[in-house]
Amino acid sequence: MSDASKSLGDRMTFPDEKKLDWAEESEEMDNQTQTQQPAPAAAPEDAEPSDQTDGASEFQMGSALLEPEFDVNVKLNDLQQDPNNPLFSVKEFRDLNLPESLQKGISSLGFTKPSKIQERALPLLLQNPPTNLIGQSQSGTGKTAAFVLNILSRVDLTLQQPQALVLAPSRELARQILGVVQVMGSFMQGLSTYQAVPDPATRGQAVTGQVVVGTPGTVMDLVRRKQLNTRGMKVLVLDEADNMLDQQGLGDQCKRVKQLLPKDVQTVLFSATFPQEVLAFTALFAPNANQITLERTNLTVKGIKQMYLDVSQDSDKYDALIKFYGLMTIASSIIFVRKRETADELSKRMTSEGHHVVTLTGGLEGTERDAVIDQFREGNAKVLITTNVLARGIDVQTVTMVINYDIPDKPAPGRGYVPDAETFLHRVGRTGRFGKVGVALTLVHDKRSWEMFREICQELSINPTKLDTDDWDNVERVVKSIIKSGRNKKVDAETMFGEQ
Ligand SMILES: Nc1ncnc2c1ncn2[C@@H]1O[C@H](COP(=O)(O)OP(=O)(O)OP(=O)(O)O)[C@@H](O)[C@H]1O
């Protein structure tokens, strides 16, 4: 029996009781369903969105985790020929009726064929009169290009006023999306953009950019101070929409912003996750929307190889992490922790031992955050330690490993903290992007963390491979073979996809 085909029970056995600290801690689219609503005869009245919110807010190992570009291209071609893969499409970009300038923009980004979400969402987005859309597809499958192409095809270059607004949950994601707008629109003569994130340098300026991308709080401030005129807005996009609408503060701001836009604004919501309870009120935010949704069992990205390290206690996590890094070459990696303090502590410790790491948390100033993420994107720093602030949307192609140093959790009314499968999925989705292979490593250190991880795995139908810290040579062998199986495009379906 291959490792991949063992049952969850076989592969996720309880850690050795002797090692446990039992104390509780304080702290594809063939399966993708597409529902097309008939286009409303007249623009629908904006329903008041529900206020039902939940509160919250070159280490070296035979270069195992360094992918040669050629390999990746060959594999991408193969994946895009496989009808069961989210990157597959029947159509070519030229079949999507996009203007010549955008075809050039697409080529300049190096895209040859659309992914499924692009192929399916774009015809729905581009139809007239415009209709709302709720679009779901796995992490790293090209949702950004889908909504950016719609926006750019609707911008009237003769009008120097804001016409489209994209809201994102973090400063880094807003900056990244703006970058895509700029490259994709680089052949649209006269296109102007505006980055609406906290920035003392632009305070007080009137916004004239045709495409505005920002975070909800800053956009709200700009509208309130009458710097951003919303009258000419034709498209509103919420990226990571489930997260935006599910959080008390962010959700309220998004709703307020929407109320200030023209009633017939095309509302577009994208995410890799739309939990059932959130879908109900996203539908109120984007009434009569066409919907492209995924079955819960299809949310995981097959190229992301799931593993876990079972250590004895919380205080052993650090040594295990360092040992793991010592084994291999990792192009770039992201370590997710629960709290800022852990990020700072980990960073101090790793730095003092000669590792080059950078840290990004909500505790930094905007300009510091920009400097850190830019350093990481440019490859000047290979290890990024962060909190959930960067769990969603961030696209850095060189990231071959994501580490869950702490297992993601969320508050649940009356139940304290419960495992957060959505955040897990978004975190690990920072690797394995658009057909690349990546590794997601989760650290488990006691009964509670093990149970949380098991719940997440069950919810997402993940069958992770256990790495035994008693035998590091074997860890190296296991990791190598798992990655190799993901790389080899000729491996049988079970070996490649059977484990998740
Ligand atoms: N058609 C395409 N061909 C090749 N590469 C593409 C294509 N579309 C998008 N990409 C690339 O795929 C990567 C992931 O795209 P994107 O960031 O839009 O994913 P996403 O679906 O929004 O993911 P997430 O859910 O994590 O936000 C980007 O680097 C993007 O440039």
Side-chain angles (χ1 to χ4, degrees):
M1 185 163 59
S2 77
D3 208 27
S5 62
K6 285 185 196 166
S7 72
L8 180 73
D10 283 337
R11 300 183 54 211
M12 283 193 70
T13 49
F14 258 95
D16 182 354
E17 284 197 24
K18 291 196 295 283
K19 287 167 61 188
L20 283 174
D21 170 8
W22 295 99
E24 287 289 300
E25 272 205 320
S26 58
E27 299 217 4
E28 262 88 57
M29 302 229 309
D30 288 327
N31 301 309
Q32 191 168 36
T33 51
Q34 179 171 322
T35 323
Q36 182 160 9
Q37 303 279 352
E45 273 297 301
D46 249 357
E48 172 64 26
S50 153
D51 49 2
Q52 169 202 356
T53 47
D54 237 349
S57 61
E58 250 164 87
F59 304 81
Q60 194 86 246
M61 182 188 73
S63 58
L65 293 181
L66 291 171
E67 290 191 82
E69 265 318 301
F70 175 72
D71 240 32
V72 173
N73 288 335
V74 171
K75 198 162 122 251
L76 188 54
N77 288 341
D78 279 9
L79 296 175
Q80 294 205 279
Q81 306 292 329
D82 171 5
N84 293 317
N85 195 286
L87 306 182
F88 171 84
S89 69
V90 182
K91 293 190 181 132
E92 302 291 330
F93 277 114
R94 63 176 171 275
D95 302 326
L96 294 170
N97 292 326
L98 292 161
E100 189 53 35
S101 58
L102 289 181
Q103 298 287 358
K104 286 188 186 157
I106 289 167
S107 305
S108 72
L109 279 162
F111 301 177
T112 48
K113 259 176 91 78
S115 62
K116 270 188 194 175
I117 187 69
Q118 291 165 353
E119 176 192 49
R120 294 198 179 183
L122 275 164
L124 295 173
L125 285 168
L126 296 169
Q127 68 192 5
N128 282 312
T131 37
N132 296 340
L133 179 81
I134 296 174
Q136 181 182 18
S137 107
Q138 297 88 340
S139 56
T141 52
K143 295 184 283 296
T144 315
F147 66 71
V148 167
L149 285 166
N150 172 53
I151 285 176
L152 293 177
S153 67
R154 292 187 182 279
V155 167
D156 179 349
L157 292 171
T158 64
L159 294 176
Q160 201 49 249
Q161 63 181 36
Q163 299 171 43
L165 174 62
V166 183
L167 297 177
S170 70
R171 173 187 189 94
E172 291 71 24
L173 185 52
R175 288 180 76 223
Q176 177 181 299
I177 295 167
L178 193 84
V180 176
V181 172
Q182 288 167 340
V183 180
M184 197 74 98
S186 54
F187 297 89
M188 292 173 68
Q189 206 126 68
L191 177 74
S192 57
T193 59
Y194 186 88
Q195 177 176 296
V197 299
D199 183 357
T202 55
R203 191 163 289 158
Q205 278 177 12
V207 179
T208 54
Q210 291 150 331
V211 182
V212 178
V213 185
T215 46
T218 306
V219 169
M220 200 57 228
D221 284 351
L222 289 167
V223 180
R224 238 190 252 129
R225 297 198 191 111
K226 302 202 182 326
Q227 289 166 250
L228 173 59
N229 182 345
T230 57
R231 265 195 315 251
M233 286 287 188
K234 297 189 268 193
V235 188
L236 168 67
V237 176
L238 258 60
D239 197 12
E240 310 299 341
D242 58 324
N243 179 243
M244 301 271 275
L245 293 172
D246 193 31
Q247 286 187 42
Q248 200 98 60
L250 275 182
D252 291 347
Q253 280 164 343
C254 293
K255 287 169 204 163
R256 261 186 255 137
V257 169
K258 176 147 189 225
Q259 279 160 1
L260 298 167
L261 305 184
K263 290 268 173 268
D264 60 351
V265 73
Q266 181 187 29
T267 306
V268 178
L269 310 181
F270 269 110
S271 183
T273 50
F274 280 105
Q276 210 50 46
E277 68 277 11
V278 181
L279 256 183
F281 58 87
T282 49
L284 290 174
F285 192 85
N288 303 314
N290 293 315
Q291 291 197 10
I292 302 173
T293 52
L294 285 172
E295 299 289 331
R296 194 128 184 102
T297 48
N298 291 323
L299 295 181
T300 52
V301 173
K302 310 303 179 203
I304 304 172
K305 306 295 151 195
Q306 299 282 349
M307 305 174 198
Y308 71 102
L309 267 176
D310 169 19
V311 302
S312 307
Q313 52 195 347
D314 196 23
S315 55
D316 290 344
K317 279 160 60 176
Y318 178 76
D319 289 337
L321 178 79
I322 296 301
K323 203 98 184 223
F324 189 78
Y325 268 121
L327 287 177
M328 60 196 76
T329 301
I330 301 170
S332 294
S333 60
I334 304 181
I335 305 173
F336 283 103
V337 298
R338 188 169 184 268
K339 297 185 290 185
R340 288 178 194 176
E341 298 83 66
T342 316
D344 293 339
E345 235 175 78
L346 207 54
S347 163
K348 251 193 229 141
R349 238 176 126 175
M350 288 181 82
T351 305
S352 72
E353 290 179 26
H355 298 284
H356 183 42
V357 303
V358 287
T359 308
L360 197 156
T361 66
L364 298 183
E365 291 295 323
T367 46
E368 293 172 304
R369 286 171 63 155
D370 294 349
V372 170
I373 193 79
D374 293 347
Q375 219 184 330
F376 185 64
R377 274 191 199 286
E378 286 154 16
N380 296 328
K382 304 264 194 253
V383 181
L384 171 66
I385 306 171
T386 189
T387 57
N388 284 341
V389 69
L390 290 188
R392 287 175 174 252
I394 297 304
D395 180 63
V396 180
Q397 296 257 342
T398 48
V399 173
T400 46
M401 164 123 28
V402 166
I403 297 179
N404 286 308
Y405 193 76
D406 298 318
I407 295 175
D409 59 5
K410 61 182 176 190
R415 290 194 296 146
Y417 283 82
V418 296
D420 185 350
E422 271 77 27
T423 300
F424 181 91
L425 204 79
H426 286 277
R427 280 182 178 184
V428 301
R430 295 320 96 217
T431 188
R433 302 190 61 79
F434 216 90
K436 297 206 169 193
V437 173
V439 168
L441 177 73
T442 300
L443 270 65
V444 173
H445 69 277
D446 64 2
K447 184 176 179 225
R448 180 169 146 72
S449 61
W450 193 85
E451 279 173 356
M452 285 173 65
F453 183 50
R454 184 179 57 172
E455 227 175 275
I456 288 173
C457 290
Q458 278 169 344
E459 210 176 317
L460 300 174
S461 310
I462 290 170
N463 222 348
T465 303
K466 179 179 172 174
L467 302 178
D468 191 349
T469 52
D470 291 336
D471 185 355
W472 285 99
D473 289 342
N474 194 44
V475 167
E476 185 176 338
R477 272 195 299 277
V478 170
V479 176
K480 255 183 175 172
S481 82
I482 290 174
I483 291 162
K484 213 169 144 202
S485 74
R487 279 257 180 72
N488 182 355
K489 57 189 162 54
K490 295 292 175 214
V491 293
D492 63 70
E494 186 197 67
T495 324
M496 185 149 172
F497 301 125
E499 85 188 272
Q500 293 176 13

